[in-house]
Amino acid sequence: MTETGKVHLVGAGPGDLGLVTVRACELVASCEVLLFDNLVNSSLLERAGSDCELIDVGKAPGRHAMPQEEIAAILVKEARAGKRVVRLKGGDPFVFGRGGEEMTILRESGIPYEIVPGVTAALACAAYAEIPLTHREHGSSVSFLTGHEDVAKEALRVDFQKFATTGGTLCIYMGIGKLESILKELEKGGMCPDTPAAVVSQGTLERQRKVVSTLGSLLAQVNEAGLVAPAIVFVGAVVGLASERDWFSSRPLFGKKIAVTRARAQSAELKALLEQVGAEIVELPLLNVVPEVNKEIASEVFAGLGTYEWIVFTSINGVREFLTLFFRGFQDLRCLGPARIACVGKATAEELNRHHLQVDLVPKKATAENLAQALIESESLENANVLVVTGNRNRDVLVEMLEGIGHAIVDAMQVYATGFNHLKGSKEAERFCREGADAIVFASSSAVESFVEQQDDLALEKEAHKPIHCSIGPATSRTLKQNDLEVHLEASHANLPAVVEVLSQHFANLSE
Ligand code: SAH
């Protein structure tokens, strides 16, 4: 007989991936069946294993949410089949999440279960909008209420008039559709129209918006601002402590859409850096990187590793692909031989460091010319064997300078190829055409060239959505200009933090 599996009722938090618990991440990554509904941030699902069965039980266009009994039946069935099941719910499973019903059925069916709490929307929205839920002087109790009226359950309706007299903080979930009647009820219950009140919509996401007002004026202001669900309504004296410019929305790129054009596998670092300062990312992977190597050259190079004076890396991809090939043939890092290591810039050096390789030479400015110059100045090239590990683009300058001025004997080993990723008809292209962006970042000349080639397929529906162009450095700027594209911003150094810095400064200046 199959051993019974286990069901985990797991809170997915309010939206920001950073607020998902470590336990939830572990379970999502290791479960065999995952049931989810309309999560505010579905990117958590990407962490599920490739053989995990994902079951969408939520509402979708033209489809009702799966009835609760059916969901429970799936949980029971899968667990009885011996599966590790995760039932993921927005926020916390026990706060307006019907986790209670599911737990009861599991208990009655004799299925083992575990419950993983999540950061519930009220707590998260309060923190991100600077509304301290309790305060020694302004509020000593907190109530979580639902504004959703279930006609079938008349008896469970919240008596807002009663809650008007608690003197504490009210957090009303699902209240935006019924805002008018909720506010009226609170006033009827004796709450003063001057009582501070706020609505936080799409809390913790880049799209978060809020209105801070009073009970009497909240409705008009929320309608004017056009706030949408999901949203939490806060009422109580503590709301008076919120400031218009809270920490979350005053980050330099908050509310800005930034298009990132790097290859998908390469964009994570830039995306993370931009998100940290509040940007919303529009992915536009104009390039793709694929391993590409000439086997004969590779075996010659690896056979002669001991003979090189220098091994030179021109990109992070180069490091990764080279070492992948290397470890296919060797078990021991020492087989790399006694060569010194040079690379084009800090980011590539960091990638080497991650593999426990120290770098002997990095030029001050990250260009192929500067790297060649620095090597030549090291006066160690004359008749020396040098291995240059590259992609298919932009390698000639380096090789020619090392051979010509430096009199070195250069072996160039291409380990990957960067190609144009054609986006026509893709979701990314559709989104870009529809929404545009505030800025588009080009981190290489090839990204510019791919953009130019695909300009017709990436034409914007509205001219007003046209992004400004941000270039990572002089070489990329040159390519932009050669293609009659304006360079609005250029990073002070050719690295990702400098790109984020120049964008932050630009948009911070605009909002002053
Ligand atoms: N179990 C969830 C609540 C589910 S009920 C939790 O603990 O958070 C759905 C309601 O939650 C929405 O109508 C809204 O009131 C609130 N909500 C969920 N995510 C939200 C978000 N990111 N911002 C604002 N409100 C949110």
Side-chain angles (χ1 to χ4, degrees):
M1 212 179 92
T2 339
E3 214 174 297
T4 308
K6 193 171 194 176
V7 174
H8 299 83
L9 300 178
V10 179
D16 182 346
L17 271 188
L19 297 181
V20 179
T21 63
V22 173
R23 181 71 179 138
C25 281
E26 281 168 6
L27 288 168
V28 167
S30 64
C31 68
E32 294 161 291
V33 179
L34 197 164
L35 286 81
F36 64 97
D37 40 29
N38 309 314
L39 295 172
V40 179
N41 190 340
S42 55
S43 45
L44 181 57
L45 303 178
E46 288 163 18
R47 312 231 164 163
S50 54
D51 46 2
C52 172
E53 184 188 352
L54 295 175
I55 306 179
D56 182 355
V57 298
K59 258 192 259 169
R63 193 189 70 197
H64 287 295
M66 190 181 281
Q68 200 56 41
E69 314 79 68
E70 231 174 277
I71 298 175
I74 298 179
L75 296 178
V76 171
K77 184 182 107 210
E78 296 291 352
R80 287 210 171 120
K83 300 280 173 58
R84 260 170 298 130
V85 184
V86 162
R87 167 68 171 120
L88 203 53
K89 289 164 175 291
D92 180 88
F94 279 179
V95 180
F96 305 125
R98 308 190 75 166
E101 285 103 307
E102 289 171 18
M103 176 188 70
T104 309
I105 292 175
L106 293 171
R107 190 193 289 151
E108 285 168 357
S109 312
I111 306 284
Y113 55 84
E114 219 181 81
I115 294 150
V116 183
V119 177
T120 188
L123 302 189
C125 291
Y128 280 46
E130 295 190 1
I131 298 170
L133 291 179
T134 67
H135 190 283
R136 284 168 69 123
E137 285 154 37
H138 304 289
S140 50
S141 72
V142 184
S143 310
F144 290 173
L145 313 174
T146 168
H148 184 71
E149 289 184 16
D150 191 340
V151 199
K153 294 192 185 130
E154 195 70 14
L156 282 183
R157 270 184 58 179
V158 175
D159 185 344
F160 283 98
Q161 292 197 29
K162 264 199 193 132
F163 278 96
T165 59
T166 62
T169 308
L170 306 182
C171 309
I172 307 164
Y173 289 69
M174 296 171 274
I176 193 121
K178 291 269 173 332
L179 190 57
E180 187 169 4
S181 66
I182 292 170
L183 298 175
K184 258 195 208 135
E185 288 293 299
L186 290 172
E187 279 197 41
K188 265 198 224 159
M191 206 178 241
C192 170
D194 289 344
T195 311
V199 169
V200 180
S201 151
Q202 312 209 61
T204 79
L205 299 174
E206 326 76 35
R207 310 183 285 279
Q208 171 174 313
R209 296 190 55 208
K210 69 171 184 192
V211 162
V212 180
S213 178
T214 59
L215 200 63
S217 317
L218 188 66
L219 182 68
Q221 289 190 25
V222 165
N223 287 341
E224 191 187 318
L227 296 196
V228 293
I232 297 271
V233 184
F234 292 100
V235 184
V238 292
V239 177
L241 296 170
S243 105
E244 214 31 69
R245 296 282 288 160
D246 56 67
W247 68 268
F248 185 67
S249 60
S250 53
R251 292 171 305 157
L253 293 184
F254 180 79
K256 299 288 174 259
K257 275 188 201 153
I258 311 292
V260 171
T261 61
R262 312 196 91 192
R264 218 182 293 275
Q266 273 187 306
S267 63
E269 191 187 348
L270 180 58
K271 270 166 55 186
L273 288 172
L274 288 167
E275 278 171 351
Q276 271 164 27
V277 288
E280 182 176 351
I281 305 299
V282 179
E283 293 220 49
L284 211 53
L286 289 168
L287 300 174
N288 54 20
V289 173
V290 282
E292 191 175 289
V293 70
N294 176 315
K295 285 201 180 114
E296 272 167 37
I297 296 182
S299 51
E300 269 172 41
V301 164
F302 285 138
L305 272 178
T307 67
Y308 292 113
E309 199 77 36
W310 285 98
I311 303 180
V312 183
F313 292 94
T314 60
S315 68
I316 296 177
N317 284 319
V319 175
R320 287 188 189 149
E321 295 304 333
F322 178 83
L323 288 177
T324 305
L325 290 169
F326 172 80
F327 284 118
R328 263 186 219 149
F330 301 94
Q331 301 297 326
D332 189 334
L333 198 53
R334 286 171 294 185
C335 297
L336 265 182
R340 282 181 279 175
I341 293 180
C343 71
V344 68
K346 224 172 97 199
T348 311
E350 280 165 10
E351 184 62 25
L352 284 156
N353 295 159
R354 266 193 278 278
H355 297 278
H356 305 283
L357 289 165
Q358 295 304 314
V359 177
D360 302 280
L361 185 144
V362 189
K364 283 213 175 69
K365 271 198 119 178
T367 66
E369 287 90 344
N370 285 312
L371 173 57
Q373 199 59 45
L375 277 163
I376 292 162
E377 279 163 18
S378 74
E379 294 186 358
S380 53
L381 289 190
E382 192 83 33
N383 291 325
N385 285 337
V386 177
L387 173 63
V388 175
V389 180
T390 67
N392 54 333
R393 292 169 194 272
N394 310 329
R395 61 177 188 185
D396 296 345
V397 184
L398 182 62
V399 173
E400 280 163 22
M401 281 179 77
L402 296 180
E403 281 176 340
I405 315 171
H407 306 294
I409 303 154
V410 181
D411 288 340
M413 177 181 179
Q414 181 192 321
V415 289
Y416 68 95
T418 305
F420 293 175
N421 187 23
H422 291 281
L423 292 172
K424 188 176 180 176
S426 67
K427 269 198 192 128
E428 288 105 335
E430 274 171 23
R431 178 175 177 203
F432 182 74
C433 295
R434 201 174 50 241
E435 299 178 15
D438 294 285
I440 180 166
V441 178
F442 294 104
S444 65
S445 289
S446 9
V448 176
E449 285 155 4
S450 177
F451 182 69
V452 171
E453 193 179 291
Q454 303 188 54
Q455 235 163 5
D456 290 345
D457 299 327
L458 296 173
L460 297 173
E461 286 169 15
K462 290 196 184 133
E463 192 62 11
H465 293 160
K466 200 168 169 186
I468 59 166
H469 303 147
C470 175
S471 143
I472 196 169
T476 306
S477 297
R478 223 175 295 133
T479 312
L480 278 163
K481 286 181 202 148
Q482 280 161 3
N483 286 286
D484 295 325
L485 293 171
E486 212 171 317
V487 180
H488 300 95
L489 301 173
E490 183 184 293
S492 60
H493 293 87
N495 61 41
L496 300 180
V499 167
V500 177
E501 175 75 26
V502 74
L503 283 165
S504 298
Q505 271 170 4
H506 172 78
F507 287 109
N509 288 343
L510 283 188
S511 64
E512 262 170 16

